[in-house]
Amino acid sequence: MDKIIKLGFLGCGNVGGGVWKLLSGFAKDIDHRTGLKFEVKRALVRDLTKKRDIDFPAGVLTDNVEDLLGDPEISIVLEFLGGEKPACDWIKEALRRGKTVVTANKVAFALHWPELQKAAEESGAGLYYEAAVCGAIPIIHTLEASLQSNAISYIYGIVNGTTNYILTRMSREGAEYSAVLADAQRLGLAEPDPSSDVEGLDAAYKLSILASLAFHGRVPFEHVYVEGITSIQAEDILCGQELGYTLKLLAIAKRDGLKVETRVHPTFIPDKHPLASVSDAFNAVFLKGHACDEMMFMGRGAGDLPTASAIVSDLLRAAAAEKHAYPTFNNDPHPAIPYENNTDWQTAFYVRMLAVDKPGVLSHVAQTFACFGVSIAVMQQKGAMSDGRVTLVFITHKANEKAMRQALATIDPSFATVESVLRVEE
Amino acid sequence: MDKIIKLGFLGCGNVGGGVWKLLSGFAKDIDHRTGLKFEVKRALVRDLTKKRDIDFPAGVLTDNVEDLLGDPEISIVLEFLGGEKPACDWIKEALRRGKTVVTANKVAFALHWPELQKAAEESGAGLYYEAAVCGAIPIIHTLEASLQSNAISYIYGIVNGTTNYILTRMSREGAEYSAVLADAQRLGLAEPDPSSDVEGLDAAYKLSILASLAFHGRVPFEHVYVEGITSIQAEDILCGQELGYTLKLLAIAKRDGLKVETRVHPTFIPDKHPLASVSDAFNAVFLKGHACDEMMFMGRGAGDLPTASAIVSDLLRAAAAEKHAYPTFNNDPHPAIPYENNTDWQTAFYVRMLAVDKPGVLSHVAQTFACFGVSIAVMQQKGAMSDGRVTLVFITHKANEKAMRQALATIDPSFATVESVLRVEE
């Protein structure tokens, strides 16, 4: 006989609606393939009177969380509220009561993963979070179940669709940031308050989760260096394009022995790099393992059905599991291996300056760079401004972040002003 | 206490050696994360006296398959022999005796999957085959465990590294096929007898496996249309490049209702397509599901360690499983849903002709195309040959395969000869 599994939805907005649609539209196939039937018994919403796309059966909607958490028939809770409060407390409470939780909540994992996992392990409930990172891309399960025998040395991720959409359009159209952002907001591709996306926080949450799984060691969110795209100028994108580079907001995690670096910032990558062709709102994760070598996973990072694809895959695995698995970390709870947060990483740089057009200027800049161990790979001088100054564009070889900052602070502003500094990864 | 799992290797060449290295080098991490220890108890080889890289403990190597299959301590058999015989019989025998099998054997799956799965289901043994398709890329497990709630409408795969390497170099260097093939053989990137790769058979084996899993219906290998790269000319790659296209050997599977089409052939794709940047020996699978939308998975399709990465991931999942899962197919064993093999697919075409340079020729060609419902998207006339003939290059809109063939057969050879026909997918 078929097994009927009763579900509780915490929230039922865009993503919850997508899961509802996917579960009901695909119910016959799921039953045929797995012998599982799902029934959404309760769905928590804020406003019971609100008009909704979905025609919920009577008695499903509730505005009292205890109707879900206190119902012993509900064995799996799907959480779509997002954010830290009250979602985290409810996830934890559900786990404590032995209910398996499937969630899309990156903030909960970036900030409270150890507590959540502890609650799950104590009660034996499952904790599934594929949808928390990169929507439909099964990068969490791939790291856990397909790349487990790899020592992963780096991850480059395009993990935020809004910023990728904005940078793609700035690159295609030569448009400025504020104009494209306004258009993206009009099209519903950026939030009315876009700060978490455009300032890189959303990407940093996801990076801390990915890096923790990839390196089998907890990488705290607070260790992630974050720089967003709000001050990117069309001119820099164009200068990069002329040199064969595409600008992306990259989430970068590298591990070298016990040193781990994690950073989110706008980054030039060569046009030929597979990540350069990941455009519009798509997400992608490019990584290297000691056995698998380089790999890339690309797909939709957001949207109701793509996110539902990840959530339902978690749900099916959760429902079929005889016993739930939990990741292990080398530095948690007993830090046998103390990872070090490396903040003086090595990277190449793109620098654009406005320089006085007279003898000795270029030599001053080149000497300053050399003093700090920064070596120049490419230099371009461009046409003069109305005030007679010229634009100088440099791409450096790899240099230490701190040395580069010192070098730039040492450039004499009466010779040249530093207009933009961006990092470059090959 | 740790669980020690005893393994038998069928074969111990390149891939088997990679698995041995990965298992021994990563043993501590695997143990820490999973509590599992593996011991290779027996490895079947043809020649016991051959010098080997690996220093096998005494008593491991054997040339008698019964030493593995008959050993009740060996619970998991890893098969690296490849090919149909004797590998298939041994896999089946191992499964019958209740031993779980992890294999990289695409031929076994393309030709004998139903029997193998039947043997596994009857004894309850596990059957794992991630490494059979696209090496390190976890596309099998992703289709089974992460995209299960998707109706997949198409797959485009670059699933053969040798041909992708050859086409990449032909594209970069403008070199002819035979010269690049010879160089690839010299570098060990093509087999001394390259026919299975360059004639598209290897890709067809893999496509039948991928399509079966993606469409949840068995797609027999015999249904796959196959065309290799042996007659590709540098001139056509160049003509395509001028029009913004990259040539790849694509494995294509599409499903529309109950109609399924599967074909392997050289294909022009737009330079901007994510598959176009998958170069050298890399593999990739690009697919679309009704929920997840478009996704791409890229990685190493061959090599000892990349293949070992897939095999060891299977091994770890097999060893941890309380109960093994098997895919279900809508048309097997009782064809509730009869899939139809569609051989008159729709695709765009690239056609290069040599035409007499006189009035009426272009009109003859255009009229012939129109008669068969083929509409022209792009036409280019190029400089004259020494005999006065001119090169005409066409890209058509989508047309039916059969209509296109009839149209080309109807072109009057005293006006124009058809030099090359290639398919184009957007």
Side-chain angles (χ1 to χ4, degrees):
Chain A
M1 212 191 73
D2 278 351
K3 192 172 164 191
I4 298 183
I5 293 166
K6 304 212 172 171
L7 310 176
F9 278 18
L10 289 174
C12 202
N14 189 33
V15 172
V19 172
W20 176 280
K21 273 183 256 171
L22 187 53
L23 276 179
S24 36
F26 226 59
K28 250 173 69 181
D29 297 74
I30 289 172
D31 186 14
H32 174 73
R33 290 179 204 160
T34 62
L36 298 171
K37 279 190 206 299
F38 295 96
E39 180 194 324
V40 182
K41 191 171 177 199
R42 300 317 289 266
L44 179 79
V45 295
R46 217 168 307 175
D47 178 2
L48 289 169
T49 61
K50 192 179 154 188
K51 270 239 159 200
R52 293 172 195 277
D53 288 350
I54 300 163
D55 204 14
F56 290 97
V60 167
L61 295 186
T62 175
D63 54 5
N64 179 1
V65 71
E66 197 50 34
D67 284 347
L68 263 93
L69 299 182
D71 186 334
E73 274 195 359
I74 291 176
S75 59
I76 303 182
V77 170
L78 286 76
E79 187 268 319
F80 312 121
L81 300 165
E84 196 176 356
K85 296 265 173 188
C88 264
D89 294 332
W90 291 347
I91 294 174
K92 223 184 299 175
E93 188 54 30
L95 292 167
R96 276 203 204 103
R97 299 194 195 182
K99 296 184 195 306
T100 284
V101 173
V102 177
T103 174
N105 194 323
K106 58 188 169 272
V107 182
F109 271 76
L111 303 182
H112 301 289
W113 190 351
E115 304 152 51
L116 299 179
Q117 185 166 325
K118 189 163 166 273
E121 291 187 88
E122 281 173 5
S123 74
L127 180 54
Y128 294 78
Y129 46 100
E130 182 64 79
V133 181
C134 292
I137 306 175
I139 186 65
I140 302 280
H141 188 61
T142 293
L143 286 169
E144 287 181 335
S146 292
L147 303 179
Q148 334 83 310
S149 57
N150 280 275
I152 292 174
S153 49
Y154 63 75
I155 293 179
Y156 290 151
I158 296 173
V159 298
N160 180 275
T162 302
T163 48
N164 203 43
Y165 175 82
I166 292 173
L167 291 178
T168 300
R169 283 200 47 197
M170 288 177 73
S171 300
R172 258 185 218 145
E173 300 162 22
E176 287 296 350
Y177 168 75
S178 53
V180 176
L181 170 63
D183 210 40
Q185 286 175 313
R186 200 179 50 77
L187 295 165
L189 289 161
E191 302 278 341
D193 173 4
S195 52
S196 172
D197 292 318
V198 298
E199 284 166 11
L201 275 181
D202 175 85
Y205 290 133
K206 294 166 180 167
L207 183 62
S208 79
I209 299 171
L210 285 180
S212 296
L213 287 171
F215 302 150
H216 296 271
R218 292 218 183 269
V219 175
F221 165 70
E222 299 74 34
H223 283 192
V224 182
Y225 171 83
V226 191
E227 210 179 288
I229 64 162
T230 53
S231 56
I232 297 296
Q233 296 167 54
E235 182 175 357
D236 290 306
I237 292 183
L238 184 68
C239 287
Q241 283 172 336
E242 287 171 4
L243 296 168
Y245 291 95
T246 302
L247 191 70
K248 295 289 181 191
L249 181 69
L250 280 200
I252 300 171
K254 297 189 186 183
R255 181 179 164 191
D256 181 11
L258 295 181
K259 278 188 182 181
V260 170
E261 65 189 63
T262 45
R263 42 193 171 105
V264 171
H265 53 63
T267 313
F268 277 119
I269 51 174
D271 293 341
K272 293 267 171 211
H273 194 287
L275 283 172
S277 65
V278 176
S279 51
D280 299 308
F282 276 93
N283 282 14
V285 175
F286 188 95
L287 58 80
K288 182 171 181 169
H290 85 294
C292 66
D293 198 20
E294 292 178 338
M295 310 203 74
M296 186 171 92
F297 306 89
M298 190 199 87
R300 292 269 173 210
D304 56 351
L305 282 176
T307 309
S309 169
I311 289 169
V312 175
S313 82
D314 270 355
L315 177 62
L316 293 177
R317 275 185 288 109
E322 309 258 326
K323 205 172 76 184
H324 302 288
Y326 312 98
T328 54
F329 298 96
N330 296 333
N331 56 353
D332 171 54
H334 303 295
I337 302 180
Y339 286 115
E340 177 192 335
N341 183 25
N342 178 20
T343 55
D344 191 22
W345 49 75
Q346 289 220 321
T347 183
F349 290 88
Y350 158 100
V351 183
R352 178 166 60 86
M353 296 181 190
L354 278 177
V356 180
D357 193 10
K358 67 177 188 191
V361 169
L362 192 58
S363 128
H364 165 69
V365 172
Q367 266 182 24
T368 309
F369 278 174
C371 272
F372 289 92
V374 177
S375 123
I376 295 166
V378 179
M379 202 283 283
Q380 248 191 2
Q381 179 167 336
K382 312 188 67 152
M385 309 281 291
S386 57
D387 64 2
R389 290 189 297 169
V390 294
T391 296
L392 297 180
V393 174
F394 301 88
I395 305 270
T396 73
H397 288 294
K398 272 194 183 179
N400 278 82
E401 175 83 19
K402 286 176 184 169
M404 186 65 192
R405 290 191 189 201
Q406 287 175 318
L408 293 171
T410 309
I411 305 262
D412 182 342
S414 71
F415 282 0
T417 55
V418 177
E419 301 295 314
S420 311
V421 182
L422 292 162
R423 295 171 192 85
V424 180
E425 296 279 333
E426 308 284 335
Chain B
M1 211 191 75
D2 277 350
K3 191 172 164 191
I4 297 182
I5 293 167
K6 303 213 173 170
L7 310 177
F9 278 18
L10 289 174
C12 203
N14 190 32
V15 173
V19 172
W20 177 280
K21 272 181 255 170
L22 187 53
L23 276 179
S24 36
F26 226 60
K28 248 173 70 181
D29 297 75
I30 289 172
D31 186 14
H32 174 72
R33 291 177 203 162
T34 63
L36 298 169
K37 279 190 207 298
F38 295 95
E39 180 195 321
V40 182
K41 191 172 177 197
R42 299 317 288 267
L44 179 79
V45 295
R46 216 169 305 176
D47 179 2
L48 289 170
T49 60
K50 191 177 153 190
K51 269 240 158 197
R52 292 172 195 276
D53 288 351
I54 299 163
D55 203 14
F56 290 97
V60 167
L61 295 186
T62 174
D63 55 5
N64 178 1
V65 71
E66 197 50 34
D67 284 345
L68 264 92
L69 299 182
D71 185 334
E73 275 195 355
I74 292 176
S75 59
I76 302 182
V77 170
L78 286 75
E79 187 267 319
F80 313 120
L81 301 165
E84 196 176 355
K85 295 261 171 194
C88 264
D89 295 332
W90 291 345
I91 293 174
K92 223 184 300 174
E93 188 53 30
L95 292 168
R96 275 202 204 103
R97 299 192 195 184
K99 295 185 196 303
T100 285
V101 173
V102 177
T103 174
N105 194 324
K106 59 189 169 271
V107 181
F109 269 78
L111 302 182
H112 302 287
W113 191 349
E115 306 152 49
L116 299 178
Q117 186 165 324
K118 191 162 164 274
E121 291 187 89
E122 281 173 4
S123 75
L127 181 55
Y128 295 79
Y129 46 99
E130 183 63 79
V133 180
C134 292
I137 306 175
I139 187 65
I140 303 280
H141 188 61
T142 293
L143 286 169
E144 287 181 336
S146 292
L147 303 179
Q148 333 85 309
S149 56
N150 280 276
I152 291 173
S153 50
Y154 64 75
I155 293 178
Y156 290 150
I158 296 173
V159 299
N160 180 275
T162 302
T163 49
N164 202 43
Y165 176 81
I166 292 172
L167 291 177
T168 300
R169 282 201 46 197
M170 288 177 74
S171 301
R172 256 184 220 147
E173 299 162 21
E176 288 295 350
Y177 168 75
S178 52
V180 177
L181 171 63
D183 210 41
Q185 286 174 314
R186 200 179 51 77
L187 294 165
L189 290 161
E191 303 278 342
D193 173 3
S195 51
S196 172
D197 292 320
V198 298
E199 284 166 11
L201 275 181
D202 175 85
Y205 289 133
K206 293 167 180 167
L207 184 62
S208 79
I209 299 171
L210 285 180
S212 297
L213 286 172
F215 302 150
H216 296 272
R218 291 220 184 267
V219 175
F221 166 69
E222 299 74 35
H223 282 192
V224 182
Y225 171 83
V226 191
E227 210 179 289
I229 65 161
T230 53
S231 57
I232 296 297
Q233 296 168 53
E235 184 175 357
D236 290 307
I237 292 182
L238 186 66
C239 288
Q241 283 173 335
E242 288 171 2
L243 296 168
Y245 291 95
T246 302
L247 191 70
K248 295 290 181 191
L249 182 69
L250 280 200
I252 300 171
K254 296 188 186 183
R255 180 179 164 192
D256 181 10
L258 295 180
K259 279 189 180 180
V260 170
E261 65 189 64
T262 45
R263 43 195 170 102
V264 170
H265 53 63
T267 313
F268 276 120
I269 50 174
D271 293 341
K272 291 268 171 209
H273 194 288
L275 284 171
S277 65
V278 176
S279 51
D280 299 307
F282 276 93
N283 283 13
V285 176
F286 188 94
L287 60 80
K288 182 173 179 166
H290 85 295
C292 65
D293 197 21
E294 292 178 337
M295 309 203 75
M296 187 170 92
F297 306 88
M298 190 199 88
R300 292 269 173 212
D304 56 351
L305 282 177
T307 309
S309 169
I311 288 169
V312 175
S313 83
D314 270 355
L315 178 62
L316 293 177
R317 273 186 290 110
E322 308 258 326
K323 205 173 75 184
H324 301 288
Y326 312 97
T328 55
F329 297 96
N330 296 333
N331 57 354
D332 172 54
H334 303 295
I337 303 180
Y339 286 116
E340 177 193 334
N341 183 25
N342 178 21
T343 55
D344 191 23
W345 50 74
Q346 289 219 321
T347 183
F349 290 88
Y350 158 100
V351 183
R352 179 167 59 87
M353 297 181 189
L354 278 177
V356 180
D357 193 10
K358 67 178 186 187
V361 169
L362 193 57
S363 126
H364 164 71
V365 172
Q367 267 181 22
T368 310
F369 278 174
C371 273
F372 289 93
V374 176
S375 123
I376 295 166
V378 178
M379 203 282 283
Q380 246 191 3
Q381 178 167 336
K382 314 187 65 152
M385 311 279 292
S386 57
D387 65 2
R389 289 189 299 168
V390 294
T391 296
L392 298 180
V393 173
F394 301 89
I395 305 272
T396 74
H397 288 295
K398 273 193 182 179
N400 278 83
E401 175 82 20
K402 286 175 185 168
M404 186 66 192
R405 290 191 191 202
Q406 287 172 318
L408 292 171
T410 309
I411 304 260
D412 182 341
S414 72
F415 281 0
T417 55
V418 177
E419 301 295 314
S420 311
V421 183
L422 293 163
R423 296 173 192 84
V424 180
E425 297 279 333
E426 307 284 337

mmCIF file of all heavy atoms in Angstrom, chain A residues 11 13 42 66 88 129 132 157 168 228 275 297 303 334 410:
data_model
loop_
_atom_site.group_PDB
_atom_site.id
_atom_site.type_symbol
_atom_site.label_atom_id
_atom_site.label_comp_id
_atom_site.label_asym_id
_atom_site.label_seq_id
_atom_site.Cartn_x
_atom_site.Cartn_y
_atom_site.Cartn_z
ATOM 1 N N GLY A 11 4.719 29.035 5.795
ATOM 2 C CA GLY A 11 4.700 30.039 4.744
ATOM 3 C C GLY A 11 4.156 29.435 3.464
ATOM 4 O O GLY A 11 4.307 28.238 3.222
ATOM 5 N N GLY A 13 4.028 31.552 0.174
ATOM 6 C CA GLY A 13 4.086 32.621 -0.804
ATOM 7 C C GLY A 13 4.516 32.057 -2.148
ATOM 8 O O GLY A 13 4.031 31.006 -2.578
ATOM 9 N N ARG A 42 -1.340 21.124 6.805
ATOM 10 C CA ARG A 42 -1.507 22.504 7.288
ATOM 11 C C ARG A 42 -0.488 23.408 6.607
ATOM 12 O O ARG A 42 0.642 22.991 6.346
ATOM 13 C CB ARG A 42 -1.272 22.601 8.813
ATOM 14 C CG ARG A 42 -2.165 21.797 9.735
ATOM 15 C CD ARG A 42 -3.627 21.802 9.391
ATOM 16 N NE ARG A 42 -4.367 23.033 9.614
ATOM 17 C CZ ARG A 42 -5.050 23.309 10.738
ATOM 18 N NH1 ARG A 42 -5.032 22.468 11.764
ATOM 19 N NH2 ARG A 42 -5.744 24.428 10.858
ATOM 20 N N GLU A 66 1.388 26.487 16.052
ATOM 21 C CA GLU A 66 1.225 25.280 16.862
ATOM 22 C C GLU A 66 0.327 24.246 16.177
ATOM 23 O O GLU A 66 0.449 23.042 16.429
ATOM 24 C CB GLU A 66 0.692 25.664 18.248
ATOM 25 C CG GLU A 66 0.841 24.598 19.333
ATOM 26 C CD GLU A 66 2.233 23.988 19.465
ATOM 27 O OE1 GLU A 66 3.235 24.702 19.251
ATOM 28 O OE2 GLU A 66 2.317 22.780 19.763
ATOM 29 N N CYS A 88 14.007 30.501 12.200
ATOM 30 C CA CYS A 88 15.000 29.650 12.865
ATOM 31 C C CYS A 88 14.435 28.937 14.079
ATOM 32 O O CYS A 88 14.683 27.756 14.292
ATOM 33 C CB CYS A 88 16.177 30.501 13.321
ATOM 34 S SG CYS A 88 17.494 30.472 12.152
ATOM 35 N N TYR A 129 18.436 21.068 2.924
ATOM 36 C CA TYR A 129 18.547 22.511 2.643
ATOM 37 C C TYR A 129 19.091 22.780 1.254
ATOM 38 O O TYR A 129 19.763 23.789 1.020
ATOM 39 C CB TYR A 129 19.416 23.175 3.717
ATOM 40 C CG TYR A 129 20.693 22.401 4.011
ATOM 41 C CD1 TYR A 129 21.908 22.771 3.462
ATOM 42 C CD2 TYR A 129 20.651 21.258 4.825
ATOM 43 C CE1 TYR A 129 23.048 22.037 3.712
ATOM 44 C CE2 TYR A 129 21.791 20.526 5.082
ATOM 45 C CZ TYR A 129 22.982 20.915 4.521
ATOM 46 O OH TYR A 129 24.110 20.170 4.764
ATOM 47 N N ALA A 132 18.551 26.187 -0.259
ATOM 48 C CA ALA A 132 19.123 27.374 0.383
ATOM 49 C C ALA A 132 20.215 28.016 -0.476
ATOM 50 O O ALA A 132 20.520 29.191 -0.336
ATOM 51 C CB ALA A 132 19.688 27.011 1.761
ATOM 52 N N GLY A 157 31.740 30.907 -7.387
ATOM 53 C CA GLY A 157 30.304 30.821 -7.621
ATOM 54 C C GLY A 157 29.698 32.125 -8.093
ATOM 55 O O GLY A 157 30.060 33.201 -7.618
ATOM 56 N N THR A 168 25.164 41.559 -16.293
ATOM 57 C CA THR A 168 25.019 41.114 -17.679
ATOM 58 C C THR A 168 24.481 42.245 -18.541
ATOM 59 O O THR A 168 24.999 42.519 -19.627
ATOM 60 C CB THR A 168 24.056 39.908 -17.766
ATOM 61 O OG1 THR A 168 24.586 38.847 -16.985
ATOM 62 C CG2 THR A 168 23.907 39.432 -19.201
ATOM 63 N N GLY A 228 30.055 44.582 -2.641
ATOM 64 C CA GLY A 228 28.960 44.441 -3.608
ATOM 65 C C GLY A 228 29.248 45.118 -4.937
ATOM 66 O O GLY A 228 30.405 45.402 -5.264
ATOM 67 N N LEU A 275 32.483 30.312 -16.689
ATOM 68 C CA LEU A 275 31.589 31.163 -15.897
ATOM 69 C C LEU A 275 31.211 32.448 -16.636
ATOM 70 O O LEU A 275 30.186 33.056 -16.334
ATOM 71 C CB LEU A 275 32.237 31.539 -14.560
ATOM 72 C CG LEU A 275 32.248 30.469 -13.468
ATOM 73 C CD1 LEU A 275 33.103 30.938 -12.300
ATOM 74 C CD2 LEU A 275 30.839 30.143 -12.990
ATOM 75 N N PHE A 297 28.528 23.682 -12.439
ATOM 76 C CA PHE A 297 27.106 23.378 -12.325
ATOM 77 C C PHE A 297 26.357 24.683 -12.529
ATOM 78 O O PHE A 297 26.606 25.645 -11.823
ATOM 79 C CB PHE A 297 26.804 22.812 -10.935
ATOM 80 C CG PHE A 297 27.660 21.628 -10.588
ATOM 81 C CD1 PHE A 297 28.896 21.804 -9.973
ATOM 82 C CD2 PHE A 297 27.266 20.350 -10.920
ATOM 83 C CE1 PHE A 297 29.711 20.714 -9.671
ATOM 84 C CE2 PHE A 297 28.065 19.254 -10.630
ATOM 85 C CZ PHE A 297 29.291 19.433 -10.011
ATOM 86 N N GLY A 303 13.257 31.698 -8.346
ATOM 87 C CA GLY A 303 12.015 31.448 -9.066
ATOM 88 C C GLY A 303 11.222 30.352 -8.379
ATOM 89 O O GLY A 303 11.796 29.480 -7.741
ATOM 90 N N HIS A 334 34.427 19.643 18.010
ATOM 91 C CA HIS A 334 35.728 19.672 18.673
ATOM 92 C C HIS A 334 36.782 19.976 17.625
ATOM 93 O O HIS A 334 37.095 19.121 16.811
ATOM 94 C CB HIS A 334 36.003 18.333 19.343
ATOM 95 C CG HIS A 334 34.929 17.969 20.313
ATOM 96 N ND1 HIS A 334 34.704 18.711 21.451
ATOM 97 C CD2 HIS A 334 34.001 16.977 20.315
ATOM 98 C CE1 HIS A 334 33.684 18.178 22.116
ATOM 99 N NE2 HIS A 334 33.236 17.138 21.445
ATOM 100 N N THR A 410 50.048 54.594 -1.746
ATOM 101 C CA THR A 410 51.327 55.288 -1.840
ATOM 102 C C THR A 410 51.468 56.091 -3.145
ATOM 103 O O THR A 410 52.362 56.904 -3.295
ATOM 104 C CB THR A 410 52.475 54.244 -1.727
ATOM 105 O OG1 THR A 410 52.232 53.441 -0.566
ATOM 106 C CG2 THR A 410 53.837 54.890 -1.593
#
